[in-house]
Amino acid sequence: TTTSTTTTSTTSTTTTATTTTTNTTADTTNSIKGSDSRGSDTQSKGRDSRGQLNLLTYKLSKQLPHILSPPRQGDSEACLDWALFREDLVFHDLVSGLRTSDRSTYRNLHNSVVRLVRLMLRDADFQILWIEPLYDRGVVECRWRVVSRLPWQSIMPLSSQSICCIDRISDFHMDEHGLIKQHIMRNVQMFHQHQENLADAAAPAL
C-alpha cells in the first residue's frame, strides 16, 4: 500500500511538471509570435511612411516651380494642392518670426505674397535648387530661390540691369497620413548683383 501511494505521488508530480513545462513553452512561443508581429507591423509602417514621403516629395517638386506663374483663367491663386496641407497646419518663418497656426491663414498669406511678388518684381523666376525626403525626420527639405529683375531697371541697358535674389530652405513636416503638418522656413539671403553675374547668383551658396 505504501509503495502504491508513493508511485501515485511520483506520477502526479511528473504530470504536474510536464504540464508546467508545456505551459511555459506555449507562453514563450506566444511571446515570440507577438514580438515578430510587432516587428512586422513596425517594418510595414516604416515602408508606408517612406512611400508617403516619396509621394509628397514628388507632388511638391511638380507644383512649387509654378507658384509664380500667371494664374489660369478663373483662378487667382497659386498652383498648389491645398489638400496636401492639414487644416491645423503650423507655419513658422524663423527669419522674420512670422507664425500661423491654421491652413486658411497660411493660404491667404501665401497667395498675398505671390501676388505682391508678381506686382513688384519683373520676370520673377522660382527655382528649386534641390528637394529631397529626409526619412529619419519625416521631412521634405527644399532649397529654393526667387530671381528677378528689379522693376525700375527695365528702362536701363541690359548690361547695367541688376537682379534681386531671395534664397531660402523650406522644411515640410509630414504626419502619419502623408499630409503636411508643419512648414518651417529658414536660411534667408537677399542680395543684388549686376546682370552679367546672373549665373553666379543662380549657383548654390556653399
Side-chain angles (χ1 to χ4, degrees):
T1 303
T2 302
T3 304
S4 176
T5 302
T6 302
T7 303
T8 302
S9 299
T10 303
T11 302
S12 177
T13 302
T14 303
T15 302
T16 302
T18 302
T19 303
T20 302
T21 303
T22 302
N23 291 338
T24 302
T25 302
D27 291 342
T28 302
T29 301
N30 290 335
S31 177
I32 293 174
K33 287 182 178 179
S35 177
D36 290 344
S37 177
R38 288 191 295 272
S40 178
D41 290 344
T42 300
Q43 292 177 353
S44 178
K45 289 180 180 178
R47 288 193 296 269
D48 291 344
S49 177
R50 290 174 68 94
Q52 289 176 332
L53 200 61
N54 287 335
L55 180 59
L56 182 60
T57 302
Y58 173 78
K59 289 181 177 180
L60 288 174
S61 70
K62 293 298 182 181
Q63 295 178 24
L64 289 176
H66 304 291
I67 62 175
L68 294 181
S69 302
R72 295 166 295 185
Q73 186 174 3
D75 183 7
S76 61
E77 295 190 352
C79 301
L80 279 180
D81 179 6
W82 295 108
L84 295 177
F85 300 83
R86 280 176 33 160
E87 291 186 2
D88 60 347
L89 170 76
V90 173
F91 168 71
H92 191 192
D93 186 342
L94 297 181
V95 178
S96 68
L98 182 64
R99 188 183 182 95
T100 64
S101 57
D102 63 89
R103 184 175 64 187
S104 178
T105 304
Y106 172 80
R107 180 175 181 170
N108 291 336
L109 174 66
H110 179 90
N111 291 328
S112 296
V113 170
V114 168
R115 285 192 292 267
L116 182 63
V117 169
R118 289 171 180 162
L119 178 65
M120 297 299 297
L121 300 179
R122 290 180 57 86
D123 303 324
D125 182 26
F126 187 96
Q127 305 171 351
I128 291 183
L129 303 184
W130 44 259
I131 183 170
E132 61 179 347
L134 305 180
Y135 301 111
D136 57 331
R137 295 170 52 200
V139 170
V140 177
E141 188 175 69
C142 177
R143 174 96 181 261
W144 55 267
R145 175 172 289 170
V146 175
V147 180
S148 172
R149 288 187 297 162
L150 300 176
W152 56 85
Q153 297 286 345
S154 58
I155 61 174
M156 302 178 67
L158 185 62
S159 60
S160 63
Q161 290 181 7
S162 298
I163 63 168
C164 173
C165 183
I166 302 173
D167 191 353
R168 292 196 179 189
I169 292 177
S170 284
D171 293 331
F172 298 96
H173 294 253
M174 187 188 73
D175 70 2
E176 64 275 15
H177 303 295
L179 301 177
I180 299 171
K181 64 180 180 180
Q182 192 174 35
H183 177 193
I184 307 296
M185 266 200 316
R186 56 190 172 88
N187 191 35
V188 63
Q189 298 178 18
M190 187 170 182
F191 54 87
H192 299 81
Q193 292 194 6
H194 289 297
Q195 183 72 26
E196 53 266 27
N197 294 330
L198 177 60
D200 294 335
L206 299 178

